[in-house]
Coordinates of all heavy atoms in Angstrom, one line a residue:
Q141 N 145.3 -6.0 81.8 CA 145.8 -7.2 82.5 C 145.5 -8.5 81.7 O 144.6 -8.5 81.0 CB 144.9 -7.3 83.8 CG 145.0 -6.1 84.7 CD 146.3 -5.9 85.4 OE1 147.0 -6.8 85.8 NE2 146.7 -4.6 85.6
P142 N 146.4 -9.5 81.8 CA 147.7 -9.4 82.5 C 148.7 -8.5 81.7 O 148.5 -8.3 80.6 CB 148.1 -10.9 82.5 CG 147.4 -11.5 81.3 CD 146.1 -10.8 81.2
I143 N 149.7 -8.1 82.5 CA 150.6 -7.0 81.9 C 151.7 -7.6 81.1 O 152.5 -8.4 81.6 CB 151.2 -6.2 83.1 CG1 150.1 -5.6 84.0 CG2 152.1 -5.1 82.5 CD1 150.6 -4.9 85.3
K144 N 151.7 -7.3 79.8 CA 152.8 -7.8 78.9 C 154.0 -6.8 79.0 O 153.9 -5.6 79.4 CB 152.3 -7.8 77.5 CG 151.1 -8.7 77.2 CD 150.7 -8.6 75.7 CE 149.5 -9.4 75.4 NZ 149.7 -10.8 75.4
E145 N 155.2 -7.4 78.7 CA 156.4 -6.6 78.7 C 156.2 -5.3 77.7 O 156.8 -4.3 78.0 CB 157.5 -7.4 78.3 CG 158.0 -8.5 79.2 CD 157.3 -9.8 79.1 OE1 156.3 -9.9 78.3 OE2 157.7 -10.8 79.8
S146 N 155.5 -5.5 76.7 CA 155.3 -4.4 75.7 C 154.5 -3.3 76.2 O 154.5 -2.2 75.6 CB 154.7 -5.0 74.5 OG 153.4 -5.5 74.7
Y147 N 153.9 -3.4 77.4 CA 153.0 -2.3 77.9 C 153.9 -1.2 78.7 O 153.3 -0.2 79.1 CB 152.0 -2.8 78.9 CG 151.0 -3.7 78.3 CD1 150.1 -4.5 79.1 CD2 150.8 -3.9 76.9 CE1 149.1 -5.3 78.5 CE2 149.9 -4.7 76.3 CZ 149.0 -5.4 77.2 OH 148.1 -6.3 76.6
L148 N 155.2 -1.4 78.7 CA 156.0 -0.5 79.4 C 155.9 0.9 78.7 O 155.9 0.9 77.5 CB 157.5 -0.9 79.3 CG 158.5 -0.1 80.1 CD1 158.4 -0.3 81.5 CD2 159.9 -0.5 79.6
L149 N 155.7 2.0 79.5 CA 155.7 3.3 79.0 C 154.4 3.6 78.1 O 154.4 4.5 77.3 CB 156.9 3.7 78.2 CG 158.2 3.8 79.0 CD1 159.4 4.1 78.1 CD2 158.1 4.9 80.1
S150 N 153.3 2.8 78.4 CA 152.1 3.0 77.6 C 151.0 3.8 78.4 O 149.9 4.0 77.9 CB 151.5 1.6 77.2 OG 151.2 0.9 78.3
G151 N 151.4 4.2 79.6 CA 150.4 5.0 80.3 C 151.0 5.5 81.6 O 152.2 5.4 81.9
Y152 N 150.2 6.2 82.4 CA 150.7 6.9 83.7 C 151.0 5.8 84.7 O 150.3 4.8 84.9 CB 149.6 7.8 84.2 CG 149.4 9.0 83.3 CD1 148.3 9.2 82.5 CD2 150.3 10.1 83.3 CE1 148.1 10.3 81.7 CE2 150.2 11.2 82.5 CZ 149.0 11.3 81.7 OH 148.9 12.4 80.9
L153 N 152.0 6.2 85.5 CA 152.4 5.3 86.6 C 151.5 5.5 87.9 O 150.9 6.5 88.0 CB 153.9 5.6 87.0 CG 154.9 5.3 85.9 CD1 156.2 6.0 86.3 CD2 155.1 3.8 85.7
E154 N 151.6 4.6 88.8 CA 151.0 4.7 90.1 C 151.7 5.9 90.9 O 152.9 5.8 91.0 CB 151.0 3.4 90.9 CG 150.8 3.6 92.4 CD 149.5 4.2 92.8 OE1 148.5 3.9 92.1 OE2 149.5 4.9 93.8
G155 N 150.9 6.9 91.3 CA 151.6 8.1 91.9 C 152.3 7.8 93.2 O 153.3 8.6 93.5
T156 N 151.9 6.8 94.0 CA 152.6 6.6 95.3 C 154.0 6.0 95.1 O 154.8 6.1 96.0 CB 151.8 5.7 96.1 OG1 151.5 4.4 95.5 CG2 150.5 6.2 96.5
N157 N 154.4 5.4 94.0 CA 155.7 4.9 93.8 C 156.3 5.3 92.5 O 157.2 4.6 91.9 CB 155.8 3.4 94.1 CG 155.0 2.6 93.0 OD1 154.4 3.2 92.1 ND2 154.9 1.3 93.2
D158 N 155.9 6.4 91.9 CA 156.4 6.8 90.6 C 157.9 7.1 90.5 O 158.6 6.8 89.6 CB 155.6 7.9 90.0 CG 155.5 9.2 90.9 OD1 156.0 9.1 92.0 OD2 154.9 10.2 90.4
A159 N 158.5 7.6 91.6 CA 159.9 8.0 91.7 C 160.7 6.7 91.5 O 161.7 6.6 90.7 CB 160.2 8.7 92.9
Y160 N 160.3 5.7 92.3 CA 161.0 4.4 92.3 C 160.9 3.8 90.9 O 161.9 3.3 90.3 CB 160.5 3.5 93.3 CG 161.0 2.1 93.3 CD1 162.3 1.8 93.8 CD2 160.2 1.0 92.9 CE1 162.8 0.5 93.8 CE2 160.7 -0.3 92.9 CZ 161.9 -0.6 93.3 OH 162.5 -1.8 93.3
A161 N 159.7 3.8 90.4 CA 159.4 3.2 89.0 C 160.2 3.8 87.9 O 160.7 3.2 87.1 CB 157.9 3.3 88.8
I162 N 160.3 5.2 88.0 CA 161.0 5.9 86.9 C 162.5 5.5 87.0 O 163.1 5.4 85.9 CB 160.8 7.4 87.1 CG1 159.4 7.8 86.6 CG2 161.8 8.2 86.3 CD1 158.9 9.2 86.9
A163 N 163.0 5.4 88.2 CA 164.4 5.0 88.3 C 164.6 3.6 87.7 O 165.6 3.4 86.9 CB 164.8 4.9 89.8
K164 N 163.7 2.7 88.0 CA 163.8 1.3 87.4 C 163.6 1.3 85.9 O 164.3 0.6 85.2 CB 162.8 0.4 88.1 CG 163.1 0.0 89.5 CD 164.4 -0.8 89.5 CE 164.7 -1.3 91.0 NZ 165.9 -2.1 91.0
I165 N 162.7 2.2 85.4 CA 162.5 2.3 83.9 C 163.8 2.8 83.3 O 164.2 2.3 82.2 CB 161.3 3.2 83.6 CG1 160.0 2.6 84.0 CG2 161.3 3.5 82.1 CD1 158.8 3.5 84.0
A166 N 164.5 3.7 83.9 CA 165.7 4.2 83.4 C 166.8 3.1 83.3 O 167.5 3.0 82.4 CB 166.3 5.4 84.3
G167 N 166.8 2.2 84.3 CA 167.7 1.1 84.3 C 167.4 0.1 83.1 O 168.4 -0.3 82.5
I168 N 166.1 -0.1 82.9 CA 165.7 -0.9 81.7 C 166.2 -0.3 80.4 O 166.8 -0.9 79.6 CB 164.2 -1.1 81.7 CG1 163.7 -1.9 82.9 CG2 163.8 -1.8 80.4 CD1 162.2 -1.8 83.1
K169 N 165.9 1.0 80.3 CA 166.3 1.7 79.0 C 167.8 1.8 78.9 O 168.3 1.8 77.8 CB 165.7 3.1 79.0 CG 164.1 3.1 78.8 CD 163.9 2.5 77.4 CE 162.4 2.2 77.1 NZ 162.2 1.5 75.8
M170 N 168.5 1.9 80.0 CA 170.0 1.9 80.0 C 170.5 0.6 79.4 O 171.4 0.5 78.6 CB 170.5 2.2 81.3 CG 172.0 2.6 81.3 SD 172.5 3.2 83.0 CE 174.2 3.6 82.7
C171 N 170.0 -0.5 79.9 CA 170.4 -1.8 79.5 C 170.1 -2.0 78.0 O 170.9 -2.5 77.2 CB 169.7 -2.9 80.3 SG 170.3 -3.1 82.0
E172 N 168.8 -1.6 77.6 CA 168.4 -1.7 76.2 C 169.4 -0.9 75.3 O 169.8 -1.3 74.3 CB 167.0 -1.1 76.0 CG 166.0 -2.1 76.4 CD 164.5 -1.5 76.0 OE1 164.4 -0.3 75.8 OE2 163.6 -2.3 76.1
S173 N 169.7 0.3 75.7 CA 170.6 1.2 74.9 C 172.0 0.6 74.8 O 172.6 0.7 73.7 CB 170.6 2.6 75.6 OG 169.3 3.1 75.6
Y174 N 172.5 0.1 75.9 CA 173.9 -0.5 75.8 C 173.9 -1.7 75.0 O 174.9 -2.0 74.3 CB 174.4 -0.7 77.2 CG 174.9 0.5 78.0 CD1 174.1 1.7 78.1 CD2 176.2 0.5 78.5 CE1 174.6 2.8 78.7 CE2 176.6 1.7 79.2 CZ 175.9 2.8 79.2 OH 176.3 3.9 79.9
N175 N 172.8 -2.5 75.1 CA 172.7 -3.7 74.2 C 172.7 -3.3 72.7 O 173.4 -3.9 71.9 CB 171.5 -4.5 74.5 CG 171.5 -5.2 75.8 OD1 172.6 -5.3 76.4 ND2 170.4 -5.7 76.3
D176 N 172.0 -2.2 72.4 CA 171.8 -1.8 71.0 C 173.2 -1.2 70.5 O 173.6 -1.5 69.4 CB 170.7 -0.7 70.9 CG 169.3 -1.3 71.0 OD1 169.2 -2.5 70.9 OD2 168.4 -0.5 71.2
Q177 N 173.8 -0.3 71.3 CA 174.9 0.4 70.9 C 176.2 -0.3 71.0 O 177.1 -0.3 70.2 CB 175.0 1.7 71.6 CG 176.1 2.7 71.0 CD 176.0 4.1 71.6 OE1 174.9 4.5 72.1 NE2 177.0 4.9 71.5
Y178 N 176.4 -1.0 72.2 CA 177.6 -1.7 72.5 C 177.6 -3.2 72.4 O 178.6 -3.8 72.7 CB 178.0 -1.3 74.0 CG 178.2 0.2 74.1 CD1 177.6 0.9 75.2 CD2 178.9 1.0 73.2 CE1 177.7 2.2 75.4 CE2 179.0 2.4 73.4 CZ 178.4 3.0 74.5 OH 178.6 4.4 74.7
K179 N 176.5 -3.7 72.0 CA 176.4 -5.2 71.8 C 176.7 -6.0 73.1 O 177.2 -7.1 73.1 CB 177.3 -5.7 70.7 CG 177.2 -5.0 69.4 CD 175.7 -4.9 68.9 CE 175.6 -3.9 67.7 NZ 174.2 -3.6 67.4
T180 N 176.2 -5.4 74.2 CA 176.3 -6.1 75.5 C 175.1 -7.1 75.6 O 174.2 -7.1 74.8 CB 176.2 -5.1 76.7 OG1 175.1 -4.2 76.5 CG2 177.5 -4.3 76.7
N181 N 175.1 -7.9 76.7 CA 174.0 -8.9 76.9 C 173.4 -8.6 78.3 O 173.5 -9.4 79.2 CB 174.6 -10.3 76.8 CG 173.6 -11.4 76.9 OD1 172.4 -11.2 76.6 ND2 173.9 -12.5 77.5
Y182 N 172.8 -7.5 78.4 CA 172.2 -7.0 79.7 C 170.7 -7.3 79.7 O 170.0 -6.8 78.8 CB 172.5 -5.5 79.9 CG 174.0 -5.1 80.0 CD1 174.4 -3.8 79.9 CD2 175.0 -6.1 80.2 CE1 175.7 -3.5 80.0 CE2 176.3 -5.8 80.3 CZ 176.6 -4.5 80.2 OH 178.0 -4.1 80.3
K183 N 170.3 -8.2 80.6 CA 169.0 -8.7 80.7 C 168.2 -8.0 81.9 O 168.9 -7.8 82.9 CB 168.9 -10.2 80.9 CG 169.6 -11.0 79.8 CD 169.8 -12.4 80.2 CE 170.8 -13.1 79.2 NZ 171.2 -14.5 79.7
C184 N 166.9 -7.8 81.7 CA 166.1 -7.1 82.7 C 165.0 -8.1 83.1 O 164.1 -8.4 82.3 CB 165.6 -5.8 82.3 SG 166.8 -4.7 81.7
L185 N 165.0 -8.6 84.4 CA 163.9 -9.3 84.9 C 163.0 -8.5 85.7 O 163.4 -7.7 86.6 CB 164.4 -10.5 85.7 CG 165.3 -11.5 85.0 CD1 165.6 -12.7 86.0 CD2 164.9 -12.0 83.7
M186 N 161.6 -8.5 85.4 CA 160.7 -7.8 86.1 C 159.9 -8.7 87.0 O 158.8 -9.3 86.6 CB 159.7 -7.1 85.1 CG 160.3 -6.1 84.2 SD 161.2 -4.7 85.1 CE 162.8 -5.0 84.6
P187 N 160.2 -8.8 88.3 CA 159.5 -9.7 89.2 C 158.3 -9.0 89.7 O 158.2 -7.7 89.9 CB 160.5 -9.9 90.3 CG 161.4 -8.7 90.3 CD 161.5 -8.2 88.9
T188 N 157.2 -9.8 90.0 CA 156.1 -9.3 90.7 C 156.4 -9.1 92.2 O 157.6 -9.3 92.6 CB 154.9 -10.2 90.5 OG1 153.7 -9.6 91.0 CG2 155.1 -11.6 91.2
N189 N 155.4 -8.9 93.1 CA 155.6 -8.7 94.5 C 156.4 -9.9 95.1 O 155.8 -11.0 95.1 CB 154.3 -8.5 95.2 CG 153.6 -7.2 94.8 OD1 153.8 -6.1 95.4 ND2 152.8 -7.3 93.8
T190 N 157.5 -9.7 95.6 CA 158.4 -10.8 96.1 C 158.4 -10.8 97.6 O 158.4 -9.7 98.3 CB 159.8 -10.6 95.6 OG1 159.7 -10.4 94.2 CG2 160.6 -11.8 95.9
F191 N 158.3 -12.0 98.2 CA 158.4 -12.2 99.6 C 159.2 -13.4 100.0 O 159.4 -14.3 99.1 CB 157.0 -12.3 100.2 CG 156.3 -13.6 100.0 CD1 156.3 -14.6 101.0 CD2 155.7 -13.9 98.8 CE1 155.7 -15.8 100.8 CE2 155.1 -15.1 98.6 CZ 155.1 -16.1 99.6
G192 N 159.6 -13.5 101.3 CA 160.3 -14.7 101.7 C 161.3 -14.4 102.8 O 161.3 -13.3 103.4
P193 N 162.2 -15.4 103.1 CA 163.1 -15.2 104.2 C 164.0 -13.9 103.9 O 164.3 -13.6 102.8 CB 164.0 -16.5 104.2 CG 163.1 -17.5 103.6 CD 162.2 -16.7 102.6
N194 N 164.4 -13.3 105.0 CA 165.3 -12.1 105.0 C 164.5 -10.9 104.4 O 165.2 -9.9 103.9 CB 166.5 -12.4 104.1 CG 167.7 -11.5 104.5 OD1 167.8 -11.1 105.6 ND2 168.6 -11.3 103.6
D195 N 163.3 -10.8 104.6 CA 162.5 -9.6 104.2 C 162.6 -8.6 105.2 O 163.1 -8.7 106.3 CB 161.0 -10.0 103.9 CG 160.4 -9.2 102.8 OD1 160.8 -8.1 102.5 OD2 159.4 -9.7 102.2
N196 N 162.0 -7.3 104.8 CA 162.0 -6.2 105.7 C 160.6 -6.1 106.4 O 159.6 -6.0 105.6 CB 162.3 -5.0 104.9 CG 162.1 -3.6 105.7 OD1 162.2 -3.7 106.9 ND2 161.8 -2.6 105.0
Y197 N 160.6 -6.1 107.7 CA 159.3 -6.0 108.4 C 159.1 -4.7 109.1 O 158.2 -4.6 110.0 CB 159.2 -7.2 109.4 CG 159.2 -8.5 108.6 CD1 160.4 -9.2 108.4 CD2 158.0 -9.1 108.1 CE1 160.4 -10.4 107.8 CE2 158.1 -10.3 107.5 CZ 159.3 -11.0 107.3 OH 159.3 -12.2 106.6
D198 N 159.8 -3.7 108.7 CA 159.7 -2.4 109.4 C 158.2 -1.9 109.3 O 157.5 -2.1 108.2 CB 160.6 -1.4 108.7 CG 160.5 0.0 109.4 OD1 161.2 0.2 110.4 OD2 159.7 0.9 108.9
K199 N 157.6 -1.3 110.4 CA 156.2 -0.9 110.4 C 155.8 0.0 109.3 O 154.8 -0.1 108.7 CB 155.9 -0.3 111.7 CG 155.4 -1.3 112.8 CD 154.8 -0.6 114.0 CE 154.1 -1.7 114.9 NZ 153.6 -1.1 116.1
L200 N 156.7 1.0 108.9 CA 156.4 2.0 107.9 C 157.0 1.7 106.5 O 156.5 2.1 105.5 CB 156.8 3.4 108.3 CG 155.9 4.0 109.5 CD1 156.4 5.3 109.9 CD2 154.4 4.1 109.0
N201 N 158.2 1.0 106.5 CA 158.9 0.9 105.3 C 158.8 -0.4 104.6 O 159.5 -0.7 103.6 CB 160.4 1.3 105.5 CG 160.5 2.7 105.9 OD1 159.8 3.6 105.5 ND2 161.5 3.0 106.8
S202 N 158.0 -1.4 105.2 CA 158.0 -2.7 104.5 C 156.9 -2.7 103.4 O 156.1 -1.8 103.3 CB 157.6 -3.7 105.6 OG 156.3 -3.5 106.1
H203 N 157.0 -3.8 102.6 CA 156.1 -4.0 101.5 C 154.8 -4.6 102.1 O 154.7 -5.0 103.2 CB 156.6 -4.9 100.4 CG 157.6 -4.2 99.5 ND1 159.0 -4.5 99.6 CD2 157.5 -3.3 98.6 CE1 159.6 -3.8 98.7 NE2 158.8 -3.1 98.1
M204 N 153.8 -4.7 101.2 CA 152.4 -5.1 101.7 C 152.5 -6.5 102.3 O 151.9 -6.7 103.4 CB 151.5 -5.2 100.4 CG 150.1 -5.7 100.7 SD 150.0 -7.5 100.5 CE 150.4 -7.8 98.8
F205 N 153.1 -7.5 101.7 CA 153.0 -8.9 102.3 C 153.8 -9.0 103.6 O 153.2 -9.6 104.5 CB 153.4 -9.9 101.2 CG 152.8 -11.2 101.5 CD1 151.4 -11.4 101.4 CD2 153.6 -12.3 101.9 CE1 150.9 -12.7 101.7 CE2 153.0 -13.5 102.2 CZ 151.7 -13.7 102.1
P206 N 155.0 -8.6 103.7 CA 155.7 -8.7 105.0 C 154.9 -7.9 106.1 O 155.0 -8.3 107.3 CB 157.1 -8.2 104.8 CG 157.0 -7.5 103.4 CD 156.0 -8.1 102.7
A207 N 154.3 -6.8 105.7 CA 153.5 -6.0 106.6 C 152.3 -6.8 107.1 O 152.0 -6.8 108.4 CB 153.0 -4.7 106.0
L208 N 151.7 -7.7 106.3 CA 150.6 -8.6 106.7 C 151.1 -9.6 107.7 O 150.5 -9.9 108.7 CB 150.0 -9.3 105.5 CG 149.2 -8.4 104.5 CD1 148.6 -9.3 103.4 CD2 148.1 -7.6 105.1
I209 N 152.3 -10.1 107.4 CA 152.9 -11.2 108.3 C 153.2 -10.6 109.7 O 152.9 -11.2 110.7 CB 154.2 -11.8 107.7 CG1 153.8 -12.7 106.5 CG2 155.0 -12.6 108.7 CD1 154.9 -13.2 105.7
R210 N 153.8 -9.4 109.7 CA 154.1 -8.7 111.0 C 152.8 -8.4 111.8 O 152.7 -8.7 113.0 CB 154.8 -7.4 110.8 CG 155.1 -6.7 112.1 CD 155.9 -5.5 112.0 NE 156.0 -4.8 113.3 CZ 157.1 -4.2 113.7 NH1 158.1 -4.1 113.0 NH2 157.0 -3.6 114.9
K211 N 151.8 -7.9 111.1 CA 150.5 -7.6 111.8 C 149.9 -8.9 112.4 O 149.3 -8.8 113.5 CB 149.6 -6.9 110.8 CG 149.9 -5.4 110.5 CD 148.9 -4.8 109.6 CE 149.2 -3.4 109.3 NZ 148.2 -2.8 108.4
A212 N 149.9 -9.9 111.6 CA 149.3 -11.2 112.0 C 150.0 -11.7 113.3 O 149.4 -12.2 114.2 CB 149.3 -12.2 110.9
H213 N 151.4 -11.6 113.3 CA 152.2 -12.0 114.4 C 151.9 -11.2 115.7 O 151.7 -11.8 116.7 CB 153.7 -11.9 114.0 CG 154.6 -12.2 115.2 ND1 154.8 -13.4 115.7 CD2 155.3 -11.3 116.0 CE1 155.7 -13.4 116.7 NE2 156.0 -12.1 116.9
E214 N 151.7 -9.9 115.5 CA 151.4 -9.0 116.6 C 150.1 -9.3 117.2 O 149.9 -9.3 118.4 CB 151.5 -7.6 116.1 CG 152.9 -7.1 115.9 CD 153.0 -5.7 115.3 OE1 152.0 -5.2 114.7 OE2 154.1 -5.1 115.4
I215 N 149.1 -9.7 116.4 CA 147.8 -10.1 116.8 C 147.9 -11.4 117.6 O 147.3 -11.6 118.6 CB 146.8 -10.2 115.7 CG1 146.4 -8.8 115.2 CG2 145.5 -11.0 116.1 CD1 145.5 -8.7 114.0
K216 N 148.7 -12.4 117.1 CA 148.9 -13.6 117.7 C 149.5 -13.4 119.1 O 149.0 -14.1 120.1 CB 149.8 -14.5 116.9 CG 150.1 -15.9 117.5 CD 151.0 -16.6 116.6 CE 151.4 -18.0 117.1 NZ 152.3 -18.8 116.2
I217 N 150.5 -12.6 119.3 CA 151.1 -12.4 120.5 C 150.2 -11.6 121.5 O 150.1 -11.9 122.7 CB 152.5 -11.6 120.3 CG1 153.4 -12.4 119.5 CG2 153.1 -11.2 121.7 CD1 153.8 -13.7 120.0
S218 N 149.5 -10.6 121.0 CA 148.7 -9.7 121.9 C 147.3 -10.3 122.2 O 146.6 -9.8 123.0 CB 148.6 -8.3 121.2 OG 147.8 -8.4 120.0

Side-chain angles (χ1 to χ4, degrees):
Q141 305 287 325
I143 304 170
K144 297 178 185 289
E145 291 87 352
S146 60
Y147 295 168
L148 187 71
L149 294 175
S150 65
Y152 291 106
L153 298 167
E154 160 60 35
T156 55
N157 64 3
D158 55 355
Y160 174 75
I162 285 168
K164 287 294 185 181
I165 291 167
I168 295 167
K169 287 299 172 184
M170 193 169 181
C171 288
E172 280 185 346
S173 301
Y174 280 52
N175 288 346
D176 288 344
Q177 189 170 341
Y178 301 130
K179 310 307 174 195
T180 50
N181 183 31
Y182 297 166
K183 304 165 188 171
C184 302
L185 301 190
M186 296 301 114
T188 190
N189 295 269
T190 308
F191 75 99
N194 207 25
D195 212 336
N196 170 27
Y197 296 93
D198 183 85
K199 269 192 170 179
L200 287 176
N201 295 328
S202 64
H203 285 106
M204 175 272 297
F205 202 68
L208 293 182
I209 289 173
R210 175 175 176 148
K211 284 180 180 181
H213 173 73
E214 288 172 343
I215 285 172
K216 181 181 181 180
I217 298 303
S218 67

